[in-house]
Amino acid sequence: GEMSTTAPDEHELCEGAGYICDIIDELEDDYFHYVITEFVPGGDLYSILTTFPQHRLSESQARFVFRQIVLGVKHLHDNHIAHLDLSLENVCLDANENIRIIDFGVAALHPLCPSNASSSNFFALSNASPISAIPFSKQPQQGQSLMQSFMCKPIAHLYNKPGKIRYMSPELFGNLAWDAYQNDV
């Protein structure tokens, strides 16, 4: 597996939205909510890594991928969305070998999102998530903003926790109060 290490132009690097898989449509029947997304032909990072020697990227390849993931996650967090299931399996490569973050099945909309925030498909999708009922806000401590006070309740059982166990934050795994954004990081 070859993988490009040529960085996109600087304007593109500022566009974190470009690293999120585009939603084309949503459908619903009596049993399921279907989300139709763009086709991402490059496969997921977990599968790609298994084809590499010692299942590793070179440092320059890893830096290229990591920067795009960080920009994509920053875009989500800037728009008050916590993915909650970031993993190698949920980061894919498009036809140009740029990353696309996929699978917003357990994403959560920040409950303190300002009402005038720009609307997007992610808000609609995240709002429909069963996990969006988990976050709660505490009274902020002195000198702490409302956003900094956002924490999530402990969730007693592993099968109720969002994401994959091997990517889970220690707080979430240990049944402590956890921060959704920090969990993504």
Side-chain angles (χ1 to χ4, degrees), residues 6 9 20 22 29-32 38 50-51 64 67 70 78-79 81 84 116-117 120 135 140 145 148 157-158 161 167:
T6 327
D9 71 33
I20 309 298
D22 285 337
D29 62 21
D30 290 342
Y31 305 100
F32 297 103
E38 69 175 309
T50 62
T51 69
F64 178 78
R67 182 170 189 188
V70 168
D78 286 349
N79 286 281
I81 298 161
L84 299 180
N116 63 351
S120 75
S145 72
Q148 288 170 319
H157 302 291
L158 270 181
K161 295 177 182 178
Y167 295 100

Side-chain angles (χ1 to χ4, degrees), residues 66 70 73-74 77 86 167 169 179-185:
F66 187 71
V70 168
V73 171
K74 180 182 184 316
H77 292 182
L86 286 168
Y167 295 100
S169 68
D179 179 286
Y181 296 148
Q182 286 179 17
N183 190 68
D184 280 353
V185 172

Side-chain angles (χ1 to χ4, degrees), residues 131 134 152-158 160-162 172 175-176 178:
I131 300 300
I134 292 169
C152 300
K153 295 175 183 173
I155 308 167
H157 302 291
L158 270 181
N160 285 331
K161 295 177 182 178
L172 183 55
N175 200 32
L176 305 169
W178 53 285

Side-chain angles (χ1 to χ4, degrees), residues 59-178:
E59 185 177 338
S60 61
Q61 290 168 327
R63 195 169 35 243
F64 178 78
V65 168
F66 187 71
R67 182 170 189 188
Q68 291 184 358
I69 293 170
V70 168
L71 288 167
V73 171
K74 180 182 184 316
H75 175 75
L76 293 175
H77 292 182
D78 286 349
N79 286 281
H80 312 281
I81 298 161
H83 187 281
L84 299 180
D85 193 15
L86 286 168
S87 65
L88 291 171
E89 295 88 338
N90 288 340
V91 176
C92 293
L93 291 183
D94 66 13
N96 298 317
E97 296 189 330
N98 289 309
I99 69 112
R100 290 285 188 278
I101 297 171
I102 65 165
D103 192 356
F104 289 81
V106 296
L109 182 62
H110 194 300
L112 301 169
C113 177
S115 56
N116 63 351
S118 60
S119 179
S120 75
N121 284 332
F122 293 114
F123 284 12
L125 176 62
S126 300
N127 218 14
S129 165
I131 300 300
S132 61
I134 292 169
F136 75 104
S137 58
K138 313 177 292 187
Q139 286 301 312
Q141 306 295 317
Q142 189 171 358
Q144 190 180 43
S145 72
L146 274 176
M147 295 295 263
Q148 288 170 319
S149 75
F150 172 61
M151 294 293 283
C152 300
K153 295 175 183 173
I155 308 167
H157 302 291
L158 270 181
Y159 58 79
N160 285 331
K161 295 177 182 178
K164 297 167 187 71
I165 192 167
R166 65 185 179 273
Y167 295 100
M168 204 172 276
S169 68
E171 297 83 5
L172 183 55
F173 182 82
N175 200 32
L176 305 169
W178 53 285

